[in-house]
Amino acid sequence: MLTIHAAPLVLPVGAAAVADGAVVVDGDRIAAIGPYEEAAAAYPAARVRRWPGLLTPGLRQDRARALLTRCYHPDPREADELGELPLWGEEFERIAATMDTARRAGSVRRGLQRMLRHGTTHVVGPFGAEEPALRTALARSGLTVVPAPGRAPGLSVPGDDQVPSGPGGDLDPFAYGGDLAATAHGPLTVGGRADLAVFDVPAEEALRAGGAGRCVATVLAGRLVHRAR
């Protein structure tokens, strides 16, 4: 089914921004990128989803392994006791000491869901064969596993055991200081896989300042997997 995702500003990365832009999705692929009026005229039968703010490529989470294996994502039913953010360090070790397989698997699933709520479509691996439950959860999530990218000067990702200092518990891919080009999974291109994110901010500068927690929609291989409104 054809879907037009329209937003006040489309940032494809590697190409000019498109004001009042749109990305046309056909199945799991991008069919067109350009002004909304042109997309609507070319695809009159397409379903239209209008979003606020910025439409960008989906983001890449460089610290996915640590987020899934070295911290605990509380169940909403545990919020009164444990809060809602990932638990690291001594708090994680205390919980992990008595955590059974089912509780660990639940934490992994919630971690993946929370990544999707931050516009993440790609996660940096590898994830070893000795972690079958983790690999299964990743496969079911639809997230793409990619190798670690080269680092721009001045950018670094904390080690797996380093406790994050940011307010989001490191779920925000922008926590490491990169701009959109360094944090996106890659550019949006016609014929490429439709991995998109939408953020309720007016410009890239506001996105970097406010973080990926402003995500209102995530599209994974053409499927709307997160919608905040």
Side-chain angles (χ1 to χ4, degrees):
M1 180 177 184
L2 283 166
T3 301
I4 298 174
H5 293 275
L9 187 62
V10 173
L11 299 180
V13 174
V18 184
D20 295 322
V23 175
V24 182
V25 173
D26 185 2
D28 66 349
R29 297 287 149 178
I30 296 174
I33 303 169
Y36 168 73
E37 293 299 334
E38 293 182 8
Y43 300 93
R47 174 178 57 186
V48 177
R49 292 191 185 275
R50 291 188 175 274
W51 303 107
L54 304 180
L55 191 157
T56 76
L59 305 183
R60 185 190 66 250
Q61 174 52 258
D62 291 351
R63 209 179 178 196
R65 182 178 177 81
L67 279 163
L68 298 174
T69 64
R70 299 301 303 165
C71 75
Y72 178 70
H73 297 270
D75 187 293
R77 294 168 295 185
E78 301 173 308
D80 289 343
E81 176 188 359
L82 301 177
E84 298 179 352
L85 294 178
L87 301 178
W88 296 79
E90 292 182 0
E91 291 178 295
F92 168 73
E93 296 298 343
R94 176 179 58 82
I95 294 171
T98 59
M99 189 160 46
D100 60 17
T101 301
R103 192 178 186 192
R104 185 179 298 275
S107 174
V108 168
R109 289 194 300 272
R110 291 188 293 274
L112 293 169
Q113 291 163 1
R114 288 163 182 167
M115 288 182 197
L116 292 171
R117 293 204 295 267
H118 284 74
T120 297
T121 58
H122 290 59
V123 294
V124 170
F127 299 91
E130 71 277 8
E131 301 167 311
L134 176 54
R135 289 166 63 91
T136 297
L138 275 165
R140 289 176 175 171
S141 74
L143 289 161
T144 298
V145 179
V146 295
R151 291 279 157 228
L155 295 183
S156 63
V157 177
D160 281 0
D161 292 320
Q162 185 172 338
V163 177
S165 58
D170 245 11
L171 283 164
D172 182 359
F174 288 104
Y176 317 122
D179 60 9
L180 179 61
T183 308
H185 75 80
L188 298 179
T189 58
V190 174
R193 201 173 97 147
D195 293 326
L196 321 173
V198 184
F199 303 92
D200 191 6
V201 294
E204 181 182 346
E205 294 77 11
L207 173 58
R208 294 177 64 187
R214 301 296 299 274
C215 181
V216 295
T218 305
V219 175
L220 199 59
R223 296 181 297 112
L224 183 62
V225 294
H226 162 63
R227 181 175 185 171
R229 59 175 64 193

